[in-house]
Amino acid sequence: MSAGPAELSGRILVGGVGAGPVLRLEEPLSFWGGVDPATGRIIDRRHARCGESVAGRVLVMPYGRGSSSSSSVLLEGVRLGTAPAVVVLRELDGILALGAAVARELYEQSPPVVLLEAADWEALREGDEASVDVSGRLRIAG
Amino acid sequence: MAAATTPETVELTGRDRAMLAGDCGEAAAVAMRILITMAGVYGAERLLDIEGAHIDGCLYHGDSGVDFAELLIAGGARVRVPTTLNVGGLDLLHPEEFAGTAERRAKALRLMECYEEMGCRTIWTCAPYQTTPRPAFGQQVAWAESNAIVFANSVLGARTHRYGDFIDICAAITGRAPAVGLHLEESRRGQVVFDLRSLPHALGSASWLLPAIGYLVGERCGNRVPVLLGLAAADEDGLKALGAAAASSGAVALFHAVGITPEAPTLEAALGGKDAEEWIEIGVSDLRAGLRSLSTVPAAPGPGAGRENGSPAARSRRRRRSASDAISIDVVALGSPHFSPREFAELLPLVERHPPSAGVEFVVCTNRLSLVHLEQSGGLERLRALGVRVVVDTCVVVAPILRTPAGGVLMTNSGKFAHYAPGNVGFDVVFGSLAECVRSAHRGRLWRDPELWP
């Protein structure tokens, strides 16, 4: 059950604004080969959440994995409107942050990418409504 | 929330500032802005000079990649350091190999042309380390492409962080990269030891198992630096297969193999004089698990069929053989990373003895340098006559090259193909040795070497 609204503090890797329901991945996911940018669906058949969509979600995952082309897939997702609303990581992942940074340069929009301490990262549960505002605060709705 | 690291925290030289101000053109300014943002992300205090770059951004993933390259071209982009290109979206020497739409082909081609216009060397390969020149020990470079990164760091002892599309070209245009991660000595020490010493010698030295070892190392060590202890001597093709698999299942950008790779003459050296954070013993059952993860066909026999030390060997072999027969093979794909001349030399006699059956599509991906070598030796003509397609500049899991409709079974000896083929091109996969791939293509059904499987 929900413990009420909460505000988490972390490090903003790439700033921006976004909100949506949490999609929580316990295992890392490579966007390249793992997400279809046309639909936002997870297509890595070895991934436990294969078939679900990252589009418009607050994507909570430990870190990215595998191919360095993942930044392209995230950027293409921003162009096509299938990117996550927010990316929340537990460990620093330059490859997704890069996709977001280039999206900001090229399309003047991108999902914020936030790095949380492990305990705070654990606090985000599947289906929670979460948001990041322009000052970089991450809120979980009660 | 704590303040974000801002560009102001990154120390810039006069030349960095000049580029940022647009003194070297608008493209250099865009590149410097992205580099500074990323230096902030990585927590770098400064940028450092690089002496070479390898670019992955030339592969078409969608129009956004073309938009970015066109933005740079419009800003007068030119690379400042020797820069090579990874695979593109089509085989420029054999454009008829492209099975996608005319629109996608035109865009993939335009993207490749953009990077050529910026002054990059058009070697179009994911194995730039098997061409010359290649980075020297200790040299700072900015490489993208996960398998190339892990090879450059581990086998060559060059220093690159784990870069991806876009930042690679930003580094090449500016000649700068964030001074962070694997560029720095302190981040290169091993953290997790994978102890292979209890494996029977026959397994520990079997080169076809190296992708399975790499795959399980990647799965278990995530983004830490692994140290392999007890790996039998492996050649560069073996190390490339191991690294590519580790960089597919995990975020491995550097591994040390004690007694083999240049920063690991001893275990102590590999660990940088510190204690291992974790020590993982790898036994035969782990290897079986690694092999199982490399196949998606549910009834894939061999490692999946044998439960652990079960029935007598002969009975288990018979069972495996009959289970293999039930799996038909539609495609054999080799060459991820790109096939080297030595790998072709190993393939050719096998294919001559067991040519692929007409119903099986047999494709090998390689680069132009290996192709020239193969052509001069007469091997190309022989392979083609036997029904083998040799594709250059690109690869079957990143571009529509395969003619067989998705949904069938693809067999490969590559951990990277095994990992990415299901998601990228919609095939189930079976992993096997090179000889198993060739003989399965010959039969049209999975063939397992009864002597091979642990």
Side-chain angles (χ1 to χ4, degrees), chain A residues 11-103:
Chain A
R11 201 175 130 210
I12 310 151
L13 299 181
V14 180
V17 174
V22 167
L23 174 68
R24 184 180 171 86
L25 308 183
E26 301 297 335
E27 310 169 44
L29 171 70
S30 166
F31 267 49
W32 186 74
V35 175
D36 176 5
T39 62
R41 273 190 200 291
I42 298 176
I43 53 172
D44 177 353
R45 289 199 220 165
R46 293 180 182 83
H47 200 280
R49 306 297 295 277
C50 183
E52 303 225 29
S53 173
V54 302
R57 307 292 293 270
V58 173
L59 177 64
V60 177
M61 63 177 193
Y63 53 89
R65 162 173 99 167
S67 174
S68 47
S69 295
S70 292
S71 26
S72 279
V73 178
L74 180 61
L75 180 68
E76 188 65 8
V78 172
R79 188 180 77 84
L80 295 172
T82 65
V86 178
V87 178
V88 181
L89 303 169
R90 190 186 66 201
E91 285 168 51
L92 193 65
D93 180 349
I95 284 177
L96 284 182
L98 174 62
V102 175

Side-chain angles (χ1 to χ4, degrees), chain B residues 334-418:
Chain B
L334 310 174
S336 178
H338 276 169
F339 241 41
S340 69
R342 199 185 330 191
E343 289 172 302
F344 274 116
E346 202 182 332
L347 173 68
L348 194 57
L350 290 170
V351 171
E352 287 187 320
R353 266 202 305 283
H354 307 284
S357 100
V360 178
E361 186 174 358
F362 198 119
V363 188
V364 188
C365 304
T366 189
N367 56 53
R368 295 177 182 199
L369 203 76
S370 293
L371 187 79
V372 166
H373 195 274
L374 189 65
E375 207 161 11
Q376 285 168 351
S377 68
L380 182 62
E381 207 178 325
R382 281 151 72 201
L383 282 176
R384 283 195 177 142
L386 294 165
V388 174
R389 289 167 67 201
V390 179
V391 168
V392 295
D393 300 343
T394 185
C395 118
V396 298
V397 302
V398 302
I401 298 289
L402 294 174
R403 292 168 186 152
T404 310
V409 179
L410 178 150
M411 188 168 183
T412 185
N413 70 340
S414 150
K416 185 164 182 170
F417 271 167

Side-chain angles (χ1 to χ4, degrees), chain B residues 109-130:
Chain B
L109 179 61
R110 176 61 197 141
L111 187 62
M112 292 170 86
E113 287 168 353
C114 283
Y115 281 93
E116 191 172 357
E117 277 176 55
M118 293 186 231
C120 307
R121 273 186 68 210
T122 54
I123 63 168
W124 311 121
T125 184
C126 55
Y129 46 82
Q130 291 190 317

Side-chain angles (χ1 to χ4, degrees), chain B residues 181-394:
Chain B
L182 297 174
H183 287 297
L184 308 176
E185 183 79 32
E186 62 266 25
S187 312
R188 298 178 67 85
R189 68 173 199 89
Q191 293 160 292
V192 192
V193 173
F194 288 84
D195 187 347
L196 306 165
R197 291 175 299 177
S198 71
L199 285 178
H201 181 74
L203 295 181
S205 61
S207 63
W208 75 279
L209 286 173
L210 291 170
I213 292 172
Y215 205 76
L216 85 105
V217 165
E219 280 181 329
R220 299 207 190 163
C221 86
N223 53 2
R224 295 175 295 174
V225 177
V227 178
L228 280 69
L229 181 61
L231 188 74
D235 63 13
E236 288 200 355
D237 289 318
L239 296 172
K240 104 177 159 177
L242 187 155
S248 300
S249 62
V252 176
L254 164 66
F255 67 86
H256 299 296
V258 176
I260 298 175
T261 58
E263 287 165 77
T266 62
L267 177 62
E268 292 66 34
L271 291 170
K274 300 200 175 144
D275 288 335
E277 290 171 13
E278 196 181 350
W279 191 288
I280 300 173
E281 305 265 351
I282 298 296
V284 175
S285 61
D286 301 296
L287 203 53
R288 283 203 195 102
L291 282 165
R292 262 199 300 276
S293 331
L294 282 169
S295 294
T296 60
V297 174
R307 276 294 165 244
E308 292 300 297
N309 315 320
S311 45
R315 214 165 76 206
S316 126
R317 269 183 218 153
R318 270 199 305 278
R319 197 169 47 216
R320 286 176 193 180
R321 199 168 302 148
S322 58
S324 323
D325 276 344
I327 296 172
S328 55
I329 299 296
D330 304 294
V331 177
V332 166
L334 310 174
S336 178
H338 276 169
F339 241 41
S340 69
R342 199 185 330 191
E343 289 172 302
F344 274 116
E346 202 182 332
L347 173 68
L348 194 57
L350 290 170
V351 171
E352 287 187 320
R353 266 202 305 283
H354 307 284
S357 100
V360 178
E361 186 174 358
F362 198 119
V363 188
V364 188
C365 304
T366 189
N367 56 53
R368 295 177 182 199
L369 203 76
S370 293
L371 187 79
V372 166
H373 195 274
L374 189 65
E375 207 161 11
Q376 285 168 351
S377 68
L380 182 62
E381 207 178 325
R382 281 151 72 201
L383 282 176
R384 283 195 177 142
L386 294 165
V388 174
R389 289 167 67 201
V390 179
V391 168
V392 295
D393 300 343
T394 185

Side-chain angles (χ1 to χ4, degrees), chain A residues 11 33 72 76 105 107 136, chain B residues 1 33 40-41 64 67 165 424:
Chain A
R11 201 175 130 210
S72 279
E76 188 65 8
E105 190 74 38
Y107 300 123
Chain B
M1 182 168 257
R33 273 203 300 274
V41 166
S64 52
D67 291 347
D165 302 353
N424 282 21

Side-chain angles (χ1 to χ4, degrees), chain B residues 60 89-90 95 98-109 400:
Chain B
Y60 179 77
L90 69 153
F98 192 79
T101 64
E103 192 196 355
R104 178 170 171 179
R105 182 175 141 165
K107 285 177 170 162
L109 179 61

